[in-house]
Amino acid sequence: MSYIVEMKDIYKSFGDIEVLKGFNLKLREKEKVVIIGPSGSGKSTVLRCINRLEPIQRGSIIFAGDEITTKTDLCMLRTHIGMVFQRFNLFPHKTVLENIIEAPTIVKKMPLDTAKDIAIQILDRVGLADKQSSYPKELSGGQQQRVAIARALAMSPKIMLFDEPTSALDPELVGEVLLVMKDLAMEGMTMVVVTHEMDFAREVADRVIFMDQGIIVEEGTPHEFFANPACERTKMFLKRIKH
Amino acid sequence: MNLDYSIVIAKFPILLEGCWVTLQISFFSLLLGMIFGIAGALCRISSNSILNSLAFLYVWIIRGTPVMVQLFILYFGLPQLGIKLSSMTAGILGLAINTGAYITEIIRAGIQAVDKGQMEAAVSLGMNYRQAMVRIIGPQAAKICIPPLVNQFIMTLKNSSIASLVTIVELLRTGEQLIYTTFRSFEVYTTIAVLYLIMNSFFMVVADKLEKRMARQ
Ligand SMILES: Nc1ncnc2c1ncn2[C@@H]1O[C@H](COP(=O)(O)OP(=O)(O)OP(=O)(O)O)[C@@H](O)[C@H]1O
Ligand SMILES: [Mg+2]
């Protein structure tokens, strides 16, 4: 069995604070994993280690068979890993279309016309074909997040990482973003999603992981996980976020 | 009270020549100052601690000493070490070094004011540091920097009057020479003030237009 991502015994600290304490995760191609856990448990840090936004102190990370733990040329690696942020992080000085074609043209040196064609196709997929010449600030939060997803997809990544993609959104805008993510899941994208949207986890995830204090406390299929959580901490957490 | 501007009007072409010199000093010291400032800011944010300390030292020394003393060191001090600069070179270089320190701080602050998520988004897409700085961070920082930079440009244009003290015959010095022969201090100084105001207003108008044009983004 081959894995697209393998994180083995990861230790990560910020100064004196140890955030990941022997974290392990293996991800198969096309697998959809949802990570939940209390604030500060290290969920974002896990995602940021996968594309090496954060250096780690110990352990090893393997991406698509390549050891990347100490790799120094990270640009190529990152083109394969799409990342979607809680706060969208669109480029405010560029239009929607420019946001999407930026990396394909600059990093992949794709011809402008090709990049535009691809961008328009992807915009169509996320339901924003008519917004290509708007600036980010002219869009709602939900629209901005969909553009951010489109921007990541334009690089044809092998895997997509989502860090609480809907938690900065007004409740009525959450649905449209989750819908795009569900479509993506259906098309077979490998996904790691940090979210507190339990319905999304139930519907989409192959595996749900509960993290606390820098390690995986419990994991399982959504069915097992939500019906019979084994650990007391998981039960308490699930009870808490229901309210 | 007997004010008589006719003398000033008669000698106006001489004052305009002074303006021209002032503009030249300002232009070249700003151009050079921008280069020092951009280089300084990049050093200040770099992870290389030597570059970082050098830029810090530069800003610290220049901001902590009077611009007049800096010019005097260049023009009157350096010859003692065998380095003799023309008054124009000393004037422009001195003002450039001075304004460059302030511009370093302006640009550093501008770059650091850009949301950290922008750099993360850029590198997550596979851009390298240079691509992200030039295409993503730079344009946003530039927008933030425009108002304080305009202030600094205005400051430099006014500071160029200090160049008169290293014997450059710019606007202020031209006026003073006029006063020696006409004894019309009030008329000459007020005319000079108006001429400085006009030159600076030009900066302000251009800056205003630039800011409005960037506002949509
Ligand atoms: N750049 C940083 N410098 C110092 N400490 C950090 C940094 N980033 C994260 N931390 C700390 O690491 C811990 C884990 O952070 P992380 O963002 O991974 O948690 P999280 O599970 O994503 O939490 P949240 O649900 O609040 O997003 C927290 O205690 C946080 O304060
Ligand atoms: Mg987080």
Side-chain angles (χ1 to χ4, degrees), chain B residues 5-6 55 95 164 181:
Chain B
Y5 277 89
S6 64
L95 287 171
S164 62
T181 55

Side-chain angles (χ1 to χ4, degrees), chain A residues 48 51 53 75 78-79 81 85 89-94 102-103 106-107 109 133 135 137-138 151 155, chain B residues 115-129 131 135-137 139-140 143 215-217:
Chain A
R48 296 161 59 83
N51 72 352
L53 272 182
C75 297
R78 286 170 178 158
T79 61
I81 305 176
F85 303 88
N89 297 349
L90 291 178
F91 306 135
H93 59 302
K94 293 182 179 292
E102 178 72 15
I106 298 303
V107 179
K109 318 280 183 215
S133 43
Y135 282 94
K137 73 168 186 197
E138 296 163 348
R151 180 177 67 177
M155 294 298 277
Chain B
D115 183 1
K116 261 180 60 198
Q118 292 290 309
M119 179 56 100
E120 292 189 347
V123 299
S124 295
L125 287 163
M127 285 189 218
N128 58 35
Y129 180 78
Q131 289 167 334
R135 304 198 47 95
I136 307 300
I137 310 299
Q140 295 180 62
K143 197 173 152 187
R216 189 184 169 212
Q217 296 161 7

Side-chain angles (χ1 to χ4, degrees), chain B residues 5-23 169-179 181-182 184-196 199:
Chain B
Y5 277 89
S6 64
I7 298 163
V8 176
I9 292 166
K11 298 284 185 186
F12 205 63
I14 296 178
L15 287 177
L16 282 184
E17 263 171 53
C19 279
W20 177 234
V21 177
T22 287
L23 283 174
V169 187
E170 40 62 79
L171 180 55
L172 179 61
R173 180 79 164 204
T174 308
E176 280 170 343
Q177 288 175 348
L178 204 57
I179 293 167
T181 55
T182 62
R184 290 283 166 189
S185 304
F186 187 84
E187 292 88 335
V188 172
Y189 280 132
T190 48
T191 307
I192 287 173
V194 170
L195 287 171
Y196 274 114
M199 289 188 283

Side-chain angles (χ1 to χ4, degrees), chain B residues 139-161:
Chain B
Q140 295 180 62
K143 197 173 152 187
I144 299 169
C145 288
I146 287 175
L149 274 180
V150 171
N151 260 340
Q152 190 54 36
F153 281 24
I154 290 169
M155 217 47 195
T156 304
L157 199 141
K158 291 190 288 191
N159 276 347
S160 72
S161 59

Side-chain angles (χ1 to χ4, degrees), chain A residues 43-45 86 163-164 194:
Chain A
K43 306 180 296 293
S44 302
T45 307
Q86 182 173 356
D163 192 0
E164 305 202 36
V194 173

